[in-house]
């Protein structure tokens, strides 16, 4: 009981710090995610007496990974899908599918090859890093987009891309880090086995998400009681994730599919306006707390990263990821109609990396050869992405003259 109380106090201290940073950032009209990462970096480097125990507790690999993947990931994915109109997603299905599937797979291949040939990483390490770098995190950039009046079509594209490519990136990470070597030894048969495993992870997640999304959509038809319907949404998001993981399929894909069905079909057939308002307000609060924790924790992780004077290699890794993102985006959207060049530039620079990448890197077992390299390069790219790309998004939007959307946008 004493240990539980200590852990709770440590979490409460960091929650107070993160909420204070968010409050200050909002008052100063800054992106709170970037402010949290910067503060986290400062706290991670500095020795603040009353924060020492809290920092040490929260930045342990198992705690960080458990909180972000098992607790916060279903929350963030569920909230995003709950509020994403399916019609908007279907209207932008061309660029979303091109980026989420073609762009993610091409980025994975390019970064993996580059990490192997340019950075000199072992093959398994190179493609594990590539899988982590194929996931995008739109949290920071979407809030910025909305604040400066970027057209809704761009917001939908970057949000839709992230929802689907997170699932694909997690599947690629599992395959690359666990099965890649054995599949390579099998030759063409190994390629077929890899594709089958990819389909198993993806289709299994889709099936579980669709089934639970439909069941909970029918449940909300029976009640007009928003506290109970909020409880249903909690059970849905965590149920999708943990049931899918139990059956060794993609929990991320399950949450995305379940959330989309519940937030669109379920909302249409069973939710009153009062319920919709309250359920959205509830998840607004929960995701604010989750995001506050996540970005502060990303910054704090600096205390566990051994840079070892490898700044040249780190710079090369960052350039590799940026170049691969650019090549993958332009190649995958080459035949997509109605996507202006200025939008492609913004989508490219707005493809930020985030906490999912670090949490997955930390989930690698200590016995994984090259774990330290994966952590070093992943952390460096994520911090560069959130701070440098995040802080230059608004000037880029102004330079590209992408302002308030026109009626047809």
């Amino acid at each position: 009981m004493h240990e539980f109380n200590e852990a709770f106090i440590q979490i409460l201290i960091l929650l107070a710090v993160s909420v204070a940073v968010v409050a200050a950032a909002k008052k100063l009209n800054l992106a709170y995610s970037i402010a949290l990462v910067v503060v986290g970096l400062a706290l991670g480097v500095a020795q603040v007496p009353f924060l020492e125990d809290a920092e040490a507790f929260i930045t342990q690999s198992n705690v960080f990974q458990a909180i972000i993947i098992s607790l916060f990931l279903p929350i963030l994915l569920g909230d995003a899908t709950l509020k994403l109109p399916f019609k908007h997603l279907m209207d932008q299905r061309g660029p979303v599918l091109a980026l989420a599937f073609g762009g993610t797979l091409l980025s994975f291949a390019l970064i993996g090859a580059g990490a192997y040939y340019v950075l000199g990483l072992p093959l398994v390490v190179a493609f594990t890093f590539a899988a982590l770098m194929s996931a995008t995190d739109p949290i920071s950039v979407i809030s910025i987009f909305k604040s400066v009046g970027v057209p809704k079509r761009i917001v939908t594209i970057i949000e839709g891309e992230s929802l689907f490519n997170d699932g694909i990136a997690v599947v690629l990470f599992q395959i690359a880090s666990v099965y890649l070597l054995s599949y390579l030894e099998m030759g063409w048969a190994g390629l077929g086995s890899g594709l089958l495993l990819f389909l198993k992870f993806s289709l299994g997640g889709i099936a579980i998400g669709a089934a639970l999304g439909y069941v909970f959509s029918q449940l909300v038809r029976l009640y007009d009681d928003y506290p109970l319907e909020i409880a249903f949404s909690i059970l849905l998001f965590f149920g999708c994730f943990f049931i899918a993981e139990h059956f060794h399929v993609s929990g991320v894909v399950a949450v995305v599919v379940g959330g989309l069905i519940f937030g669109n079909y379920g909302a249409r057939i069973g939710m009153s306006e009062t319920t919709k308002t309250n359920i959205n307000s509830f998840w607004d609060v929960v995701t604010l707390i989750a995001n506050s924790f996540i970005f502060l924790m990303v910054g704090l992780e600096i205390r566990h990263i051994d840079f070892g004077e490898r700044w040249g290699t780190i710079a090369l890794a960052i350039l590799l990821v940026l170049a691969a993102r650019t090549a993958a985006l332009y190649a995958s959207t080459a035949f997509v109609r109605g996507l202006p060049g200025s939008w492609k530039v913004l989508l490219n620079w707005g493809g930020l990396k985030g906490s999912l990448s670090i949490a997955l890197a930390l989930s690698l077992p200590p016995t994984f050869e090259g774990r330290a390299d994966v952590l070093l390069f992943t952390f460096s790219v994520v911090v560069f992405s959130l701070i440098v790309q995040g802080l230059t998004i608004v000037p880029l939007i102004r330079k590209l003259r992408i302002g308030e959307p026109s009626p047809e946008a």
Side-chain angles (χ1 to χ4, degrees), residues 95-396:
V96 167
L97 292 175
L99 289 169
F101 291 91
T104 302
L105 294 173
L106 185 54
S107 173
F108 171 70
L110 291 173
I111 295 172
Y116 179 69
Y117 289 108
V118 179
L119 300 181
L121 297 178
L123 198 64
V124 171
V125 178
F127 280 92
T128 298
F129 172 64
L132 298 176
M133 293 297 97
S134 298
T136 58
D137 184 348
I139 295 167
S140 313
V141 78
I142 284 177
S143 61
I144 296 170
F145 280 4
K146 289 178 178 177
S147 69
V148 295
V150 167
K152 288 181 182 177
R153 286 177 59 196
I154 300 182
V155 176
T156 301
I157 291 168
I158 206 161
E159 194 167 17
E161 177 201 3
S162 176
L163 285 175
F164 291 108
N165 85 355
D166 279 358
I168 295 169
V170 171
V171 172
L172 290 173
F173 170 77
Q174 292 170 322
I175 293 173
S177 61
V178 179
Y179 303 103
L180 184 60
L181 270 184
S182 58
Y183 285 161
L184 287 174
E185 291 170 358
M186 293 167 62
W188 287 107
L191 177 62
S193 298
L195 288 173
L196 284 174
L197 186 62
F198 182 86
L199 288 174
K200 176 206 166 190
F201 276 130
S202 305
L203 296 178
I206 290 171
I208 289 172
L212 289 177
Y214 178 79
V215 167
F216 278 90
S217 294
Q218 296 304 317
L219 274 176
V220 296
R221 295 181 72 172
L222 305 176
Y223 302 93
D224 185 15
D225 184 329
Y226 73 82
L228 181 60
E229 290 171 87
I230 289 171
F232 284 155
S233 70
I234 297 171
L235 283 175
L236 170 64
F237 299 154
F238 285 100
C240 281
F241 187 82
F242 286 107
I243 291 172
E245 292 293 315
H246 174 76
F247 287 105
H248 304 291
V249 297
S250 177
V252 172
V253 172
V255 176
V256 168
V257 173
L260 278 173
I261 292 172
F262 186 73
N264 288 271
Y265 173 68
R268 179 168 55 82
I269 67 169
M271 290 187 199
S272 66
E273 289 305 315
T274 301
T275 294
K276 290 177 186 176
T277 300
N278 282 282
I279 203 169
N280 286 336
S281 298
F282 170 81
W283 286 109
D284 282 344
V285 175
V286 175
T287 53
L288 176 67
I289 293 171
N291 284 327
S292 301
F293 254 123
I294 286 171
F295 288 107
L296 185 68
M297 289 165 68
V298 167
L300 289 172
E301 270 303 312
I302 193 173
R303 61 167 47 219
H304 291 294
I305 305 297
D306 180 15
F307 291 94
E309 302 301 323
R310 298 177 65 184
W311 303 109
T313 314
I314 289 170
L316 207 55
I318 293 170
L319 289 173
L320 170 64
V321 172
L322 291 175
R325 165 71 179 179
T326 302
L329 182 139
Y330 280 92
S332 62
T333 59
F335 301 103
V336 175
R337 295 181 178 180
L339 200 61
S342 60
W343 288 22
K344 291 182 182 181
V345 173
L346 186 57
L347 289 169
N348 180 39
W349 196 243
L352 307 186
K353 314 304 175 188
S355 54
L356 176 61
S357 301
I358 291 181
L360 288 173
L362 286 165
S363 74
L364 290 169
T367 54
F368 182 84
E369 185 182 354
R371 183 179 188 271
D373 286 334
V374 172
L375 266 175
L376 170 67
F377 295 131
T378 301
F379 179 83
S380 301
V381 173
V382 167
V383 170
F384 173 89
S385 174
L386 290 172
I387 295 177
V388 177
Q389 290 177 253
L391 288 175
T392 54
I393 283 285
V394 172
L396 179 63

Side-chain angles (χ1 to χ4, degrees), residues 39-88:
V39 170
L41 288 170
L43 293 175
V45 172
Q47 302 294 319
V48 183
F50 72 95
L51 287 177
E52 280 291 300
D53 290 340
E55 291 175 21
F57 171 76
I58 210 75
T59 55
Q60 294 175 64
S61 293
N62 60 327
V63 175
F64 188 101
Q65 189 232 349
I67 288 178
I68 290 185
I69 292 184
S70 300
L71 179 60
F72 290 160
L73 188 57
I75 289 171
L76 298 177
L77 290 170
D79 174 67
T81 52
L82 187 68
K83 297 171 183 174
L84 182 61
F86 189 69
K87 181 182 182 304
H88 291 181

